[in-house]
Amino acid sequence: MHPMLNIAIRAARNAGNVITRAYEDFDKVEAEQKGLNDFVTNVDRDAESAIIHAIRKAYPDHTVIGEEGGTDIGKDSDYQWIIDPLDGTSNFVKRIPHFAVSIALQVKGKLEVAVIYDPMRNELFSAVRGQGAQLNSQRIRVGAKREITGTLLGTGFPFKARQHTDSYMAIFGELFTEVADMRRAGSAALDLAYVACDRLDGFFEIGLKPWDFAAGELIVREAGGIVTDFNGGHGHMTTGNIVAGAPRVTAGIVSKMRPHLSEALKR
């Protein structure tokens, strides 16, 4: 096993243990609002601490970029761990058992290692650049759909960026007339993992952060999929506007959404 993947898996499982213990003893969970429609719990912070401890123990000089703790610049900034300790906090707070730990390693600007761990189902999605993607050590691939007709798509509402609501609803409506159905489950990391293992045919969302999708991006790509911005380019790391799926499904989604993009979403 790739040594850094091994550390990522260990860190993800440690965080998963923190989350599952808290889920079983829910009276001790404390939630607070950190921004518009954006919540954090003591479990997010404890899980992030568990991840950082595992990374720092193995690689004390690496940089860590976390959702809750911000950027901790190490001596070796070529190695950047991008982590979301609890993707799907709103689900967790409402005791909906659909959330995940997301960990990615970027080396000199390229994603090299990725892990998404669903502690409630004990499902571990992983990838190493150039070595394919796996679910619990079994190889996974994106679906073989060649058009968006009849597909099952995942999405996320722009609840933190409601200025894009009109554009989003227009895009949703355009796609909904073509696809079999759509899902909004509340964890972008798991949505991307599900694209990679053919539970979803495609996915799109507005305004994500790198820790929301970095691990999922590599897992989708290594499973044979494509990840782009809303223009079909590579600006998603900056904009957070992301489309993912099998190559022709991704192209079909981009084509359908293009006429409905506001000027802000075209950038």
Side-chain angles (χ1 to χ4, degrees):
M1 183 180 292
H2 190 292
M4 292 180 183
L5 176 61
N6 191 39
I7 296 303
I9 290 173
R10 183 182 306 166
R13 290 196 181 277
N14 289 351
N17 289 337
V18 170
I19 293 166
T20 53
R21 284 197 302 268
Y23 193 84
E24 292 166 0
D25 191 13
F26 209 76
D27 289 344
K28 295 181 180 178
V29 174
E30 301 170 1
E32 63 185 77
Q33 190 165 345
K34 63 179 181 179
L36 179 65
N37 304 315
D38 196 7
F39 295 89
V40 64
T41 70
N42 55 318
V43 182
D44 293 75
R45 297 189 177 106
D46 291 346
E48 184 166 279
S49 294
I51 295 169
I52 293 172
H53 176 76
I55 293 171
R56 286 272 178 253
K57 187 175 180 181
Y59 303 107
D61 293 335
H62 288 188
T63 291
V64 178
I65 302 169
E67 178 176 13
E68 309 308 335
T71 301
D72 182 4
I73 299 176
K75 294 179 182 178
D76 193 345
S77 59
D78 284 343
Y79 290 81
Q80 297 184 340
W81 295 83
I82 305 170
I83 63 175
D84 189 340
L86 180 51
D87 185 65
T89 298
S90 294
N91 282 349
F92 178 83
V93 168
K94 299 299 288 185
R95 304 206 73 185
I96 299 170
H98 188 82
F99 39 77
V101 181
S102 178
I103 301 173
L105 172 64
Q106 187 170 261
V107 181
K108 295 182 179 179
K110 291 185 177 180
L111 292 168
E112 293 286 343
V113 169
V115 168
I116 294 171
Y117 179 51
D118 177 347
M120 303 304 288
R121 298 176 182 84
N122 194 29
E123 290 189 332
L124 188 125
F125 301 84
S126 63
V128 175
R129 187 165 70 93
Q131 297 182 25
Q134 297 185 330
L135 165 54
N136 290 347
S137 301
Q138 299 296 313
R139 184 69 180 265
I140 55 175
R141 296 286 296 177
V142 297
K145 292 281 189 182
R146 294 178 174 272
E147 56 184 14
I148 65 171
T149 302
T151 55
L152 180 64
L153 302 185
T155 188
F157 302 142
F159 65 97
K160 296 180 188 176
R162 297 198 174 182
Q163 69 272 22
H164 298 307
T165 298
D166 289 345
S167 289
Y168 175 83
M169 294 307 294
I171 292 166
F172 185 98
E174 178 75 22
L175 289 169
F176 189 68
T177 62
E178 298 284 339
V179 304
D181 206 350
M182 298 176 77
R183 298 285 184 270
R184 193 274 192 256
S187 168
L190 285 176
D191 284 338
L192 289 164
Y194 284 12
V195 169
C197 70
D198 194 25
R199 292 177 185 171
L200 292 172
D201 297 301
F203 169 75
F204 70 98
E205 189 164 348
I206 293 172
L208 293 175
K209 299 296 184 183
W211 48 77
D212 294 319
F213 66 81
E217 175 179 354
L218 182 61
I219 292 170
V220 168
R221 291 202 330 243
E222 287 298 318
I226 299 291
V227 180
T228 75
D229 60 20
F230 286 2
N231 296 304
H234 303 288
H236 54 282
M237 276 301 255
T238 302
T239 66
N241 304 330
I242 188 168
V243 183
R248 293 193 182 183
V249 172
T250 302
I253 295 171
V254 169
S255 176
K256 289 292 182 181
M257 64 171 39
R258 188 171 288 127
H260 304 287
L261 297 179
S262 65
E263 288 304 314
L265 293 177
K266 290 178 181 177
R267 296 169 191 163

